[in-house]
Amino acid sequence: MDVFRGPTVKRVLWVGVAIATLAAIYIVTFRPFVAQMGATIMSPLSARKSGVILDDAQRLLAFVPLSSDRADDSLRFVAMPSFGKRWMAVSLARNGTNALGRVAVLDRSTGIVSTRKFQMNGADFDEMMAQWDNETSGYWGELSMWTDGTPLGFERRIGKYVVSGIGNSPCHYDGLGNLAALYIGPHVAEMRDLQAPDFEKIRRSNAC
């Protein structure tokens, strides 16, 4: 027994050191990178590193350009439910007393994209944007990685500033989808796919 005790202890120590080293590397480098991927940043979506999710988002957003490049109070977003039958993109901009919107719906079974316009009451738009900005302002992302869910990407223009975010965290992005369902759902039935009535409960759970 004494013959093998030394090498065995050494192996255990080396394994422990290796695990501790990998954990340190993860904490210092990888975890902040994971968090940053879903954070709100001061730039358009196009400034982010390209990837499958972002590329799909940009392709669908191309169907809903803003009514004007100068729209200084506007929102564009895309929602792509992993197991949904359709993906949706919306652009919405304040225009006097109302807000004008466009929606594009991708039928995932056929690949066909249908588009149409809609209009929202200006007071409802302002209320939605106030809640959207409150949720996204200063959001630094999360340290968790989610393998499915509803990826959602957005660009919000406020005056000369543009902020954006993209991710699929049920602790954050599902809340934005729920806002869209609540305020845009009455005008665009497909937005109701994004309803998350238990969002506040989930956000307060240990998962978040």
Side-chain angles (χ1 to χ4, degrees):
M1 296 293 294
D2 289 340
V3 174
F4 297 100
R5 185 177 300 167
T8 301
V9 171
K10 287 182 179 179
R11 281 197 294 271
V12 171
L13 287 174
W14 277 112
V15 170
V17 170
I19 291 174
T21 301
L22 290 174
I25 292 172
Y26 172 73
I27 292 171
V28 173
T29 60
F30 188 62
R31 290 183 73 188
F33 174 73
V34 170
Q36 187 179 16
M37 286 193 297
T40 300
I41 62 173
M42 292 283 290
S43 72
L45 277 175
S46 58
R48 291 174 176 262
K49 185 176 180 180
S50 180
V52 174
I53 293 177
L54 182 57
D55 290 348
D56 285 340
Q58 295 283 36
R59 276 193 288 269
L60 196 51
L61 282 171
F63 287 92
V64 288
L66 290 169
S67 55
S68 170
D69 290 339
R70 298 180 179 179
D72 59 1
D73 191 1
S74 62
L75 173 71
R76 296 172 72 224
F77 74 90
V78 57
M80 304 178 292
S82 298
F83 301 106
K85 296 180 180 180
R86 54 196 176 192
W87 290 351
M88 297 83 72
V90 167
S91 66
L92 193 57
R94 196 73 151 87
N95 183 23
T97 58
N98 294 313
L100 301 180
R102 299 171 187 250
V103 59
V105 179
L106 167 66
D107 184 323
R108 298 183 68 192
S109 64
T110 64
I112 295 174
V113 177
S114 58
T115 63
R116 62 185 186 273
K117 297 180 180 179
F118 66 97
Q119 188 167 284
M120 179 188 290
N121 177 276
D124 290 340
F125 172 81
D126 292 341
E127 191 173 290
M128 177 185 171
M129 291 301 96
Q131 294 185 53
W132 190 285
D133 294 341
N134 183 60
E135 288 289 333
T136 58
S137 178
Y139 176 65
W140 296 103
E142 298 173 29
L143 299 180
S144 300
M145 295 187 70
W146 307 94
T147 56
D148 52 28
T150 300
L152 185 148
F154 75 91
E155 288 182 355
R156 171 80 168 111
R157 184 183 296 273
I158 310 170
K160 63 180 180 180
Y161 298 104
V162 178
V163 299
S164 68
I166 187 167
N168 66 335
S169 166
C171 308
H172 178 69
Y173 286 98
D174 277 9
L176 300 182
N178 196 50
L179 272 177
L182 177 63
Y183 285 94
I184 304 177
H187 312 282
V188 179
E190 292 87 347
M191 286 293 108
R192 297 169 191 165
D193 291 358
L194 305 179
Q195 288 178 330
D198 295 330
F199 171 70
E200 290 299 335
K201 181 179 179 180
I202 293 171
R203 180 155 64 176
R204 291 192 298 268
S205 71
N206 292 334
C208 298

